């Protein structure tokens, strides 16, 4: 069944018209990596302490979707979508903001993620396996959480991907996978029980050269917002830049969808971890 699901997700991603950039005449996202975690993995409970109590466990997400007492185990499917090379290459020489190709990817390509989430949900539900994609559920929230009131959400795709063994975190808080850091993530919780994949027993930030070797820090220099330092990621500065007026104007100037942002993601290109982990 794992292979059937994988094949269906890959088919949808490769055939979907929403996954096509008119600018680069290629896909926004290449073939995904897909891994499975047990919905009862104790790490999901630990996230309540590590992040904040509002971060949902798969059981809580499932029961919010289908009602109290409906959960009897299951699987979290984490999907990692690598950003196409043409878009990545276009962003490498940029120093003050994203390239046109990247801005249009951020404006239109991000809209593909909820479509894919909906497709997987429907596909599995139709086969009788109750499934919910938390980030498109009406109870998904993105807001300040925890004692420091830093921006977060009640379903962090990077922490889900970590639990499913897809990679680890970086100095800039990005997720570094076998396909690098220039990736996007989504996940679903299903009542279908599948064999979980294994995850690393190395530290949670092992793929990052700064943490593992004390070198690199290239993303610090790449950040046009001054949001990165050896101390980590200033979410407020990052957000003000990546989703501020300038980036909205930039997206509009390239013909992006009104109201969307060009993003930034300079910390995800022209860095040693862009499309592969820098160390093994
Ligand atoms: C809120 C949000 C933001 C906020 C805050 C980011 C943040 N770090 O949380 C702001 C607006 C700043 C932001 C900016 C960007 N975002 Co954003 N954002 C989100 C969103 C909606 C929720 C994130 C969340 O819940 N965070 C929870 C907090 C607690 O996580 P955290 O602080 O990073 O966690 C740290 C600690 O927990 C720590 N940690 C400490 N000890 C331990 C121990 C263990 C065992 C573990 C596992 C972890 C751990 O690890 C982390 C790193 O230090 C997600 C989508 C989603 N639903 O997940 C996208 C998401 C994280 N964003 C994404 C992207 C691409 C961006 C941008 C590049 C902008 C853009 N779109 O171009 C920038 C830069 C991001 C960056 N460098 O982190 C991608 C990430 C892709 C990747 N490779 O990592 C996501 C996953 C969207 C997606 N669907 O793909 N984002």
């Amino acid at each position: 069944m794992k292979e059937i699901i994988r094949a269906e997700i890959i088919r949808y991603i490769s055939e979907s018209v929403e996954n096509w950039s008119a600018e680069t005449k290629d896909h926004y996202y290449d073939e995904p990596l897909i891994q499975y975690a047990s919905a009862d993995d104790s790490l999901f409970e630990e996230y309540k302490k590590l992040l904040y109590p509002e971060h949902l466990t798969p059981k809580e997400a499932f029961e919010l979707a289908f009602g109290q007492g409906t959960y009897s185990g299951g699987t979290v499917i984490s999907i990692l979508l690598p950003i196409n090379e043409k878009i990545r290459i276009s962003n490498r020489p940029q120093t003050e903001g994203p390239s046109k190709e990247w801005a249009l990817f951020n404006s239109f390509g991000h809209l593909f993620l909820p479509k894919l989430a909906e497709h997987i949900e429907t596909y599995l539900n139709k086969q009788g396996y109750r499934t919910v994609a938390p980030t498109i559920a009406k109870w998904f929230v993105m807001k300040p959480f925890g004692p420091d009131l830093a921006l977060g959400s009640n379903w962090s795709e990077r922490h889900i991907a970590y639990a499913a063994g897809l990679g680890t975190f970086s100095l800039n808080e990005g997720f570094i996978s076998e396909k690098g850091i220039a990736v996007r993530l989504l996940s679903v919780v299903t009542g279908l029980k599948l064999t979980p994949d294994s995850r690393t027993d190395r530290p949670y930030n092992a793929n990052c050269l700064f943490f593992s070797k004390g070198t690199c820090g290239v993303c610090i220099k790449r950040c046009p917002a001054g949001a990165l330092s050896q101390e980590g990621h200033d979410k407020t500065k990052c957000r003000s830049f990546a989703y501020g007026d300038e980036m909205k104007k930039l997206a509009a100037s390239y013909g992006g969808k009104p109201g969307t942002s060009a993003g930034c993601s300079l910390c995800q290109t022209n860095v040693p971890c862009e499309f592969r982990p820098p160390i093994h």
Side-chain angles (χ1 to χ4, degrees):
M1 193 60 194
K2 278 167 84 169
E3 280 317 310
I4 293 173
I5 296 171
R6 198 185 301 274
E8 174 58 18
I9 296 173
I10 291 172
R11 183 200 66 74
Y12 185 81
I13 291 171
S14 69
E15 291 176 8
S16 182
V17 287
E18 279 102 357
N19 183 24
W20 189 258
S21 164
E23 189 61 29
T24 60
K25 310 231 174 341
D26 208 335
H27 292 110
Y28 289 121
Y29 303 103
D30 292 336
E31 189 168 304
L33 298 180
I34 301 160
Q35 291 212 172
Y36 303 82
S38 163
D40 290 320
D41 191 320
S42 59
L43 186 56
F44 295 118
E45 261 317 315
E46 283 174 44
Y47 284 161
K48 288 196 174 287
K49 286 180 234 140
L50 186 68
L51 310 186
Y52 27 79
E54 296 89 341
H55 196 270
L56 298 166
T57 62
K59 175 179 187 288
E60 286 170 330
F62 190 90
E63 294 197 336
L64 276 171
F66 302 109
Q68 282 296 318
T70 53
Y71 175 82
S72 58
T75 305
V76 184
I77 309 177
S78 180
I79 300 121
L80 183 139
L81 298 117
I83 297 167
N84 182 263
E85 188 181 32
K86 289 181 190 161
I87 300 171
R88 286 190 282 105
I89 289 176
S90 76
N91 219 34
R92 287 182 193 162
Q94 298 297 116
T95 54
E96 289 173 8
S99 64
K100 181 179 185 188
E101 293 85 342
W102 194 284
L104 291 171
F105 154 70
N106 210 68
S107 179
F108 296 114
H110 272 220
L111 303 175
F112 176 65
L113 298 178
K115 294 263 177 216
L116 175 60
E118 208 181 314
H119 176 75
I120 302 168
E121 232 184 37
T122 310
Y123 171 77
L124 288 171
N125 276 314
K126 270 193 185 155
Q127 301 199 33
Y129 307 116
R130 286 197 279 200
T131 301
V132 59
T135 52
I136 57 166
K138 60 181 184 309
W139 37 260
F140 173 74
V141 282
M142 187 178 97
K143 67 176 184 84
F145 282 105
D148 56 349
L149 289 181
L151 192 58
S153 73
N154 58 352
W155 188 259
S156 167
E157 296 290 11
R158 293 193 275 218
H159 290 83
I160 302 305
Y162 175 84
L166 278 164
T168 76
F169 289 78
S170 81
L171 172 66
N172 65 45
E173 296 182 330
F175 190 79
I176 308 178
S177 67
E178 282 301 308
K179 294 284 180 183
I181 195 169
V183 301
R184 297 294 176 262
L185 296 159
L186 72 88
S187 59
V188 299
V189 181
T190 176
L192 174 63
K193 288 178 191 146
L194 297 163
T195 313
D197 290 308
S198 59
R199 70 168 161 267
T200 181
D201 50 11
R202 296 176 303 147
Y204 80 93
N205 46 19
N207 285 344
C208 177
L209 281 179
F210 180 82
F211 287 121
S212 58
K213 299 245 167 94
T215 60
C216 195
V218 175
C219 59
I220 299 175
K221 295 183 210 109
R222 288 283 287 151
C223 178
L228 298 177
S229 68
Q230 295 202 350
E231 277 67 57
H233 177 219
D234 182 327
K235 294 180 189 177
T236 309
K237 277 190 185 167
C238 173
R239 186 192 196 188
S240 306
F241 184 80
Y243 297 98
D245 288 345
E246 285 306 307
M247 288 301 118
K248 285 189 182 143
K249 279 188 207 149
L250 187 66
S253 75
Y254 288 137
K257 193 175 156 64
T260 60
S261 166
C264 172
S265 306
L266 264 58
C267 61
Q268 302 201 326
T269 51
N270 205 3
V271 288
C273 56
E274 179 188 306
F275 57 93
R276 54 179 150 68
I279 43 146
H280 274 282

